[in-house]
Amino acid sequence: MSFEPKIVAFLCNWCAYAGADLAGTSRLQYPANIVPIRVMCSGRVDPEFILEAFRKGADGVFIGGCHPGDCHYVSGNYKARKRVEMMKKLLKEMGINPRRLRLEWVSATEGQKFADVVSQFVEEIKELGPSPWREKK
Amino acid sequence: MARRIGVFVCHCGINIAGTVDVERVARELEKQPGVVFATTYQYMCSDPGQNLIKQKIEEENLDAVVVAACSPAMHEETFRGVCREYFNEYRCEMANIREQCSWVHDGEEATEKAIKIVKATVEKLRDNEDLMPILVPVEKKCLIIGGGIAGIQAALDIADAGYKVILVEKEPSIGGRMAQLSETFPTLDCSQCILTPKMVAVARHPNIKLLTYSEVLEISGFVGNFHVKILKKPRYVDEDACTVCGDCEEVCPVIVANEFEMERKPRKAIYIPFPQAVPSTYTLDREACLGLAPLTCSQCKEVCEANAIDYDMQPKIIEEDVGAIIVATGYDLYDKNKLVEYGYGEDDDIITSLEFERMLSASGPTGGKIIKPSTGKEPKKVVFIQCAGSRDKQHMPYCSSICCMYTAKHALLYKHHVPDGEAYIFYIDIRATGKGYEEFIERVMEEERINYIRGKVAKIYRDGDKIVVCGVDTLTGRKVEVQADLVVLAMAIVGKEEAVKIAKKLKVAVDDGNFFKESHPKLKPVEALTRGIYFAGCAQAPKDIPSAVAQASAAASKVLSIFSKDKLEKDPLIAVVDEEHCSACGICVSVCPYGAMMKMENGKARCIEALCEGCGTCAAACPSSNIEMRNYKDEQIVKMVEVVI
Ligand code: FES
């Protein structure tokens, strides 16, 4: 059987989640490997959530936020960006390919972009194969 | 904590059930700990659907409900409303299995994913707290930024309803673009004549505080409780003392271009932008003035009998608390120098639509005479070019909405002024969608015998005394070349450059045309994404006067609905600090974009309820995990993560 990655997506309420809704309204198909969790802002994504996801056996973690300058809470997405950079380094040290963590800006009007980046991310994770932490679980 | 959860899975006709096996979702969820009941229904949002939920809450003694249906953006309010009759509304959550599942996936995997989404929602719901909305007082005063027709209308509506308005205008007078127009389409009534009474009404209204020659410096706070700082620039003339006798203007030795006249007419350093200006007062332009000092030149001060001129006037910072804000900053024309590929740059006889408006105005640079600027003679051939910079991928991709109409008006007025003249209009399409607009265009085309040429202009160049306009008439396929005396460009409309700065201060967004972004393009065209901020007029998108006025009244009614209550309900989903365990590091204080985290005397943090917007940045940043977001607790999210994997 082919490898079907498990991916958690943290989507900010105001942009990325709304963008994902628009992808739905526009009936744009994308792989079902990605399961959304709505958070108020990408800045809410605690590094602990990311680690926890990998610990529980996720093959990838996706974070969707508003474009720079557009965060509903002014600057949460900048904080998210910093944290993601930091987490990528940490993950690398822990033996997880940093490409398994992806941050994308998706506005409420970018349904197509949401479908595109998510499909792409799923493809990428498929290439990377199962997370090395899966067995540990 | 919920112990008897009911799960209601909606078919949404075939929208969900056509893809997701809803029965299986219900059966799977029944196995979930804490779930005591699960069922499906055709349309959960319909009356019978809502009644089904009520009935089951009673029969099954449920203490919490998950509705698996569409996006919470659609119906969260509906279902929370249903549950409110029985328990706290936070005991109701929606699982989005339509927009983010059935509509985007197929087959078995859609059902699998739906199950995960609903399970995760159950996990979250299980630990939701009962919360009541936070009540915050409302300052029943409105700030309006921009004193054009939209700002004026909104100010009058709110003030007439009995509430205070602070109207801030950057220029020395209110009136905006409408004050510059000659006659208005399609009825051809004089713009000034219908606007002036409204301007005067603003000046006279006891509920309106008019701050002209002023700019908004800072805005903080939130709906009901904004705090604004406004800079009132010194005009060096006492507004109340000035009698507008004009003596100062006469003696002033400095001549510069008048912005109001699109720089086609001079003014003095001390000036009144136009005769009907409100407030009716002179303004001394510091940049142009010789020195603001008796030593260099003080002629204006010497002749002023009213003693209204004060060289020592200082900028003033005015602070105000307001409950709501309306942004009505208006528009500018796209810079014609950017249209170099057509040869539109600097040429005296190629003018913009607003310059032509001023030319048509009796009080304008030419006293209402249409002239060819380079010679001062009457132009016998005029070419009007529509969509100059609009509907153009290289420039502004959108339609500027009003150019078809005012160009027709321009051509008509030209023919009335110069009956033996010829007018040509180059257009892409004619868009005349307002009331009486199509009839107006017909009239112009037929009665006035204007030459409408369908096609874009390819090139413009000067040939001696003439401006040669070349294009192709796409209806006949023939090349057209007109030797024009005057060319009028219907320039694209863009949002004000300052809009970008104001948007930053308001924490709202503008688009590529500098237009403010509304909360929803169809259902919330007046509201910003941030509560308590509204848009009116061309600040939001190009529009004609009736639409600007209508939107202004709409914005005013939104503000009035906020002011109709003494307290506003605020989302209680905010941060809470575990003060006992707080290590007093202060990180949350520094990351909070709202200044809602307060450092207490012992160094520990406390969240100020009224200021917190609930973004959760502090919770994610707290190194000791001592900040929790209400109903978005770390624990809840971690559990959700667990079940979705
Ligand atoms: S609200 Fe979308 S990133 Fe902050």
Side-chain angles (χ1 to χ4, degrees):
Chain A
M1 213 178 89
S2 72
F3 162 57
E4 286 301 338
K6 296 178 176 182
I7 299 169
V8 187
F10 295 101
L11 308 178
C12 90
N13 182 51
W14 303 94
C15 293
Y17 193 87
D21 272 355
L22 182 62
T25 317
S26 327
R27 311 292 200 279
L28 305 166
Q29 303 292 307
Y30 56 86
N33 306 68
I34 200 145
V35 188
I37 292 181
R38 180 165 68 131
V39 287
M40 289 321 270
C41 174
S42 64
R44 171 70 181 104
V45 182
D46 194 319
E48 190 51 38
F49 303 164
I50 302 170
L51 280 180
E52 192 58 25
F54 284 117
R55 268 189 226 122
K56 289 277 150 33
D59 301 299
V61 173
F62 181 93
I63 301 171
C66 312
H67 282 267
D70 286 357
C71 171
H72 186 69
Y73 308 102
V74 194
S75 54
N77 49 359
Y78 296 125
K79 312 240 161 66
R81 182 159 66 190
K82 272 202 202 149
R83 279 185 204 130
V84 165
E85 274 162 26
M86 181 195 85
M87 281 307 288
K88 279 178 176 270
K89 287 189 195 135
L90 193 69
L91 288 173
K92 199 171 166 196
E93 299 210 335
M94 297 169 96
I96 296 232
N97 190 326
R99 278 160 62 203
R100 293 186 187 274
L101 172 61
R102 162 105 59 118
L103 173 67
E104 288 281 353
W105 311 134
V106 181
S107 83
T109 56
E110 292 176 328
Q112 184 68 54
K113 180 172 179 192
F114 181 81
D116 290 348
V117 291
V118 160
S119 311
Q120 229 189 334
F121 188 51
V122 172
E123 269 319 299
E124 192 171 342
I125 300 293
K126 278 190 179 167
E127 266 168 42
L128 290 175
S131 156
W133 284 13
R134 255 212 199 198
E135 307 81 73
K136 277 198 205 167
K137 209 186 117 187
Chain B
M1 195 166 157
R3 287 169 208 286
R4 299 188 60 80
I5 302 172
V7 175
F8 296 83
V9 187
C10 180
H11 296 212
C12 194
I14 56 160
N15 281 304
I16 295 172
T19 324
V20 169
D21 181 348
V22 284
E23 290 305 331
R24 219 184 102 205
V25 175
R27 298 293 74 81
E28 278 298 318
L29 261 296
E30 262 178 351
K31 298 181 200 156
Q32 195 74 353
V35 176
V36 296
F37 176 80
T39 190
T40 73
Y41 189 72
Q42 273 286 320
Y43 290 102
M44 212 57 89
C45 62
S46 66
D47 269 348
Q50 296 186 27
N51 287 334
L52 173 72
I53 298 176
K54 291 183 192 175
Q55 184 198 334
K56 291 299 166 191
I57 291 176
E58 288 180 20
E59 278 177 21
E60 304 288 334
N61 203 6
L62 305 176
D63 64 0
V65 162
V66 167
V67 184
C70 49
S71 168
M74 291 291 298
H75 274 308
E76 193 174 73
E77 243 326 286
T78 315
F79 294 115
R80 289 204 163 154
V82 171
C83 292
R84 231 173 271 146
E85 289 180 31
Y86 301 92
F87 36 70
N88 187 277
E89 62 183 280
Y90 289 95
R91 288 170 178 259
C92 170
E93 288 279 355
M94 286 192 77
N96 180 353
I97 58 167
R98 191 179 75 172
E99 278 84 347
Q100 301 196 15
C101 190
S102 72
W103 274 350
V104 287
H105 308 309
D106 239 344
E108 177 59 21
E109 39 176 49
T111 306
E112 290 296 331
K113 177 165 165 179
I115 292 169
K116 284 184 181 178
I117 293 175
V118 187
K119 277 187 179 172
T121 313
V122 168
E123 285 311 313
K124 174 179 188 299
L125 174 66
R126 205 194 298 284
D127 286 329
N128 269 5
E129 279 173 63
D130 289 355
L131 298 174
M132 292 309 278
I134 297 169
L135 294 178
V136 290
V138 186
E139 184 65 52
K140 297 184 182 182
K141 200 191 273 180
C142 182
L143 168 72
I144 299 179
I145 309 174
I149 181 59
I152 288 174
Q153 183 64 45
L156 289 174
D157 284 356
I158 295 169
D160 283 344
Y163 298 102
K164 298 275 181 218
V165 172
I166 320 275
L167 179 57
V168 176
E169 167 60 51
K170 172 169 71 60
E171 302 295 333
S173 169
I174 55 169
R177 292 291 178 205
M178 189 175 168
Q180 291 178 292
L181 307 182
S182 56
E183 288 164 36
T184 52
F185 61 77
T187 44
L188 298 182
D189 33 6
C190 145
S191 188
Q192 262 307 345
C193 316
I194 54 176
L195 177 64
T196 309
K198 282 191 181 273
M199 291 167 61
V200 173
V202 165
R204 283 226 196 96
H205 210 298
N207 282 341
I208 301 178
K209 178 166 168 184
L210 179 57
L211 296 174
T212 51
Y213 217 44
S214 301
E215 280 168 35
V216 173
L217 286 183
E218 272 176 48
I219 301 164
S220 56
F222 52 94
V223 60
N225 299 270
F226 292 104
H227 185 75
V228 289
K229 275 191 193 160
I230 302 155
L231 168 74
K232 185 156 178 54
K233 294 177 279 185
R235 55 167 21 118
Y236 304 104
V237 178
D238 180 341
E239 286 173 31
D240 301 322
C242 176
T243 59
V244 210
C245 65
D247 290 350
C248 55
E249 184 176 5
E250 231 158 81
V251 297
C252 176
V254 186
I255 295 174
V256 290
N258 189 351
E259 303 82 355
F260 181 83
E261 302 292 353
M262 301 310 288
E263 316 214 326
R264 289 272 170 183
K265 191 179 175 181
R267 64 163 168 84
K268 296 292 187 67
I270 192 160
Y271 71 110
I272 182 161
F274 55 100
Q276 303 86 340
V278 167
S280 183
T281 177
Y282 273 81
T283 299
L284 178 52
D285 171 359
R286 187 189 177 133
E287 304 280 293
C289 176
L290 290 179
L292 283 179
L295 272 181
T296 28
C297 165
S298 60
Q299 298 187 50
C300 56
K301 197 174 161 79
E302 278 155 28
V303 298
C304 181
E305 278 185 18
N307 239 328
I309 298 174
D310 172 8
Y311 293 151
D312 297 323
M313 206 179 261
Q314 295 298 318
K316 250 204 270 172
I317 305 273
I318 296 167
E319 301 200 29
E320 292 280 356
D321 290 316
V322 297
I325 299 174
I326 295 177
V327 184
T329 44
Y331 70 91
D332 267 330
L333 294 185
Y334 189 65
D335 179 5
K336 75 170 176 179
N337 291 314
K338 287 188 181 156
L339 297 176
V340 276
E341 68 263 40
Y342 301 102
Y344 289 165
E346 293 294 325
D347 189 308
D348 248 2
D349 297 335
I350 303 179
I351 65 174
T352 66
S353 38
L354 272 177
E355 288 173 303
F356 194 65
E357 286 287 343
R358 290 315 300 150
M359 205 183 257
L360 291 168
S361 166
S363 62
T366 57
K369 263 184 66 190
I370 297 175
I371 59 159
K372 176 180 169 72
S374 65
T375 60
K377 287 204 200 112
E378 197 173 71
K380 293 294 179 200
K381 253 186 206 175
V382 180
V383 171
F384 297 89
I385 300 175
Q386 295 193 175
C387 304
S390 304
R391 301 181 68 190
D392 185 333
K393 293 239 159 56
Q394 311 297 323
H395 300 282
M396 292 306 173
Y398 51 83
C399 166
S400 290
S401 158
I402 56 172
C403 322
C404 289
M405 291 310 297
Y406 73 63
T407 301
K409 174 194 79 179
H410 283 169
L412 173 144
L413 293 175
Y414 166 69
K415 288 288 278 187
H416 288 185
H417 280 76
V418 188
D420 63 336
E422 279 177 60
Y424 296 81
I425 297 178
F426 281 86
Y427 71 101
I428 306 180
D429 302 290
I430 295 298
R431 296 181 169 175
T433 54
K435 196 171 180 179
Y437 288 9
E438 180 64 24
E439 295 88 325
F440 183 73
I441 296 276
E442 292 265 306
R443 170 179 161 201
V444 171
M445 282 183 171
E446 282 160 22
E447 288 173 29
E448 309 291 343
R449 283 177 291 114
I450 310 288
N451 303 297
Y452 269 88
I453 300 166
R454 182 174 182 154
K456 272 205 121 172
V457 169
K459 202 169 172 48
I460 297 193
Y461 59 93
R462 179 165 276 279
D463 183 12
D465 188 32
K466 303 281 180 195
I467 308 259
V468 185
V469 182
C470 313
V472 177
D473 184 339
T474 52
L475 293 181
T476 60
R478 265 188 317 195
K479 273 197 189 156
V480 196
E481 203 181 280
V482 186
Q483 309 272 331
D485 295 307
L486 179 67
V487 173
V488 182
L489 303 173
M491 294 303 304
I493 282 181
V494 291
K496 285 269 183 192
E497 240 177 79
E498 296 92 321
V500 183
K501 278 195 245 156
I502 292 174
K504 280 244 149 65
K505 289 175 191 160
L506 288 166
K507 297 167 198 126
V508 299
V510 287
D511 64 18
D512 294 339
N514 287 353
F515 298 113
F516 286 89
K517 268 194 207 158
E518 61 281 347
S519 179
H520 188 284
K522 292 169 200 112
L523 302 178
K524 291 185 172 178
V526 184
E527 295 96 321
L529 211 47
T530 309
R531 248 178 107 199
I533 300 175
Y534 306 95
F535 305 126
C538 290
Q540 180 251 344
K543 52 177 71 71
D544 55 19
I545 295 169
S547 311
V549 171
Q551 197 185 16
S553 287
S557 90
K558 294 281 170 196
V559 170
L560 292 176
S561 97
I562 289 184
F563 291 177
S564 69
K565 302 181 196 94
D566 292 324
K567 302 244 177 189
L568 279 183
E569 293 193 350
K570 190 173 165 290
D571 230 344
L573 302 179
I574 57 166
V576 190
V577 184
D578 175 352
E579 288 177 16
E580 195 187 323
H581 295 106
C582 170
S583 68
C585 67
I587 290 180
C588 55
V589 180
S590 69
V591 298
C592 176
Y594 301 99
M597 279 295 174
M598 182 180 71
K599 215 176 167 78
M600 295 189 297
E601 264 179 18
N602 57 8
K604 297 191 177 201
R606 178 174 289 173
C607 174
I608 308 168
E609 281 196 348
L611 291 180
C612 177
E613 287 285 313
C615 64
T617 305
C618 56
C622 178
S624 46
S625 299
N626 280 323
I627 301 178
E628 281 296 8
M629 300 313 296
R630 285 197 181 146
N631 289 354
Y632 272 100
K633 289 187 279 240
D634 286 9
E635 219 181 283
Q636 287 175 291
I637 298 179
V638 166
K639 276 200 197 147
M640 290 174 89
V641 168
E642 225 167 273
V643 299
V644 301
I645 293 171

